[in-house]
Amino acid sequence: MISDKNKKLRQKKPRPLVRLKIKLKHSNIASILHDCHQLWESLTSQFTNLQGQSDLEKDLPKKWEKHGDLILLPQNCFTNPEWHEIDQRALWEAVAQHFGVERIAKKDRICSDGHRTPQVSLLKGEDPWVCHVDNKIRYSYDVTKCMFSIGNITEKMRMAKLDCKDETIVDMFAGIGYFTLPLLVHGKARYVHACEWNADAIQALRKNLVDNKVVERCTVYGGDNRKVCPENVADRVLMGLIPTAMESIRAACGSLKIGSGGILHIHQNVESKINKQNEYVAMEDNISCNKSHVLTEWIFWAKETAQIVKNTMLEIYKEKSLKANIETEIIHIEKVKSYAPRIDHLVLDLKVITHRS
């Protein structure tokens, strides 16, 4: 049986955000074309040499993020070399005027440095720090050095709804506070141990803890969580790294309280086979999901991960010369988003049950 406390993980759809400073424009194709054409008309009226160059109009942004007075453009716009024929200072001034902002930045690919460091260039302005408010939480960070994933908003809202007032939590990949802050501010966690190895993210995290008035209930550990994560402290552990967080599974298991276990929230990109026979199936009765039907690979991944966690816990107890009966219980599978038709970002809520013998 699942306790009343764990049933809270089975959430309905998240409530609307109180305030959101990131804006993505627009889902409607007609609106996108209209916005692009307006920007194009604005630019051609100021730079007459652009007139008649329809290829450049196609190179305008179809979406963007707005952080206060800063517009963050995607990497797939303003890529045509012809743009460099225009005075760059005048070009970005014109773009900023069109959007009604003071600063412009442009994305490039995320670095494969283990820190998920963004490659962002500041095209207009000098201060790269931005702040937006999401569900009454202030997130500040250097947009050229840290990233904020809008695609994880539903998961942040889900974590914010947990009742954690008597819990000590370990956040293995804290970043700027994506999950740490909702758990402290709304979940009322008793204490959070936040691990992060990106120095720029740590700087932002420390600022955000102060700004949101929860700094006294959090300790930040800088460095590799496999080395710095505290042991025998946690009732709940977050493993919010994709494509996989499994390299840190031993540290996560070791952070759970000896003798009482706890709950792991394990993030993973799960790939499904491209096979017409591999269709969606009904969820098993004792497992909840935010989707009515799931792919068989989702269930296979959850059960395989549960076994890995059980084996890891048994190894840890054996090394400590402790005897215990250890079980794992799959509580919930949450689909956060899809990266491709057959690659899904999932979160496994796994309960670890230990009985000292």
Side-chain angles (χ1 to χ4, degrees):
M1 295 293 293
I2 299 174
S3 68
D4 290 339
K5 189 173 186 179
N6 290 331
K7 284 181 180 178
K8 293 177 182 179
L9 288 163
R10 300 179 174 182
Q11 301 293 336
K12 297 179 181 179
K13 292 183 179 179
R15 297 188 298 270
L17 296 180
V18 175
R19 185 155 55 123
L20 179 63
K21 292 286 187 173
I22 295 181
K23 298 179 181 179
L24 296 180
K25 293 191 175 182
H26 289 280
S27 59
N28 183 276
I29 295 177
S31 297
I32 292 173
L33 294 175
H34 178 70
D35 285 343
C36 288
H37 188 66
Q38 280 193 323
L39 176 57
W40 179 246
E41 286 188 335
S42 175
L43 293 176
T44 53
S45 67
Q46 297 184 59
F47 308 103
T48 55
N49 59 320
L50 293 179
Q51 295 176 4
Q53 299 193 50
S54 58
D55 287 346
L56 291 184
E57 184 175 1
K58 297 176 183 177
D59 197 31
L60 295 177
K62 307 299 188 297
K63 62 179 181 179
W64 53 86
E65 299 172 15
K66 189 172 182 180
H67 305 264
D69 69 343
L70 182 144
I71 282 284
L72 182 57
L73 301 174
Q75 67 182 77
N76 61 347
C77 66
F78 292 105
T79 58
N80 194 309
E82 293 295 326
W83 292 111
H84 294 286
E85 300 300 320
I86 301 173
D87 179 84
Q88 295 296 285
R89 189 169 185 174
L91 171 62
W92 301 124
E93 181 63 43
V95 173
Q97 186 176 5
H98 172 79
F99 285 116
V101 297
E102 297 295 328
R103 299 177 292 164
I104 298 176
K106 186 171 179 287
K107 291 182 179 180
D108 204 337
R109 294 183 181 277
I110 300 294
C111 292
S112 57
D113 58 358
H115 296 175
R116 290 184 62 77
T117 305
Q119 295 189 68
V120 175
S121 301
L122 201 60
L123 304 174
K124 183 181 186 304
E126 297 180 357
D127 182 8
W129 278 79
V130 298
C131 176
H132 69 266
V133 179
D134 173 339
N135 196 22
K136 296 183 179 181
I137 298 173
R138 293 175 60 86
Y139 296 89
S140 297
Y141 64 100
D142 183 335
V143 74
T144 66
K145 296 179 179 179
C146 303
M147 63 175 292
F148 186 95
S149 176
I150 190 173
N152 293 341
I153 262 184
T154 57
E155 184 62 11
K156 288 202 296 290
M157 294 292 289
R158 192 172 77 98
M159 292 294 102
K161 291 179 180 180
L162 297 178
D163 180 5
C164 305
K165 62 183 178 182
D166 294 322
E167 294 184 356
T168 297
I169 298 172
V170 168
D171 189 347
M172 301 289 288
F173 305 93
I176 65 172
Y178 312 107
F179 300 121
T180 290
L181 293 172
L183 288 166
L184 286 167
V185 174
H186 298 303
K188 305 301 181 184
R190 180 170 58 194
Y191 207 84
V192 174
H193 298 274
C195 302
E196 177 55 45
W197 64 356
N198 183 335
D200 298 306
I202 290 173
Q203 181 184 7
L205 173 60
R206 293 189 188 280
K207 173 176 171 54
N208 293 332
L209 289 168
V210 173
D211 290 349
N212 289 282
K213 298 179 173 58
V214 290
V215 67
E216 73 282 356
R217 289 188 287 129
C218 184
T219 297
V220 178
Y221 300 81
D224 189 330
N225 58 31
R226 292 167 294 186
K227 299 178 180 179
V228 303
C229 182
E231 297 183 352
N232 189 24
V233 296
D235 301 294
R236 188 183 301 271
V237 182
L238 276 72
M239 302 183 69
L241 180 70
I242 53 174
T244 181
M246 293 304 287
E247 288 188 3
S248 297
I249 194 65
R250 184 178 177 84
C253 290
S255 71
L256 292 172
K257 289 179 179 177
I258 296 291
S260 59
I263 295 175
L264 302 176
H265 300 280
I266 305 171
H267 292 235
Q268 178 90 10
N269 280 355
V270 178
E271 185 173 358
S272 303
K273 296 177 182 177
I274 302 175
N275 185 339
K276 290 185 178 179
Q277 294 180 346
N278 186 30
E279 299 296 340
Y280 286 93
V281 297
M283 178 58 79
E284 297 181 13
D285 291 339
N286 61 332
I287 305 172
S288 72
C289 183
N290 63 328
K291 303 296 178 181
S292 58
H293 288 76
V294 301
L295 286 167
T296 54
E297 281 88 353
W298 298 6
I299 298 175
F300 176 82
W301 162 72
K303 290 183 175 180
E304 181 182 48
T305 303
Q307 187 61 51
I308 291 172
V309 168
K310 179 178 180 178
N311 293 341
T312 303
M313 291 295 296
L314 288 170
E315 289 177 4
I316 291 172
Y317 272 62
K318 183 178 180 180
E319 290 175 2
K320 295 181 180 295
S321 299
L322 298 173
K323 293 183 179 181
N325 294 320
I326 297 175
E327 299 295 333
T328 55
E329 178 183 346
I330 298 171
I331 301 173
H332 180 81
I333 297 174
E334 181 81 6
K335 179 183 176 182
V336 180
K337 58 181 179 291
S338 296
Y339 282 99
R342 292 286 175 168
I343 300 178
D344 298 300
H345 175 182
L346 304 180
V347 181
L348 169 62
D349 297 340
L350 184 69
K351 185 175 182 181
V352 179
I353 307 162
T354 61
H355 301 289
R356 295 283 295 274
S357 58

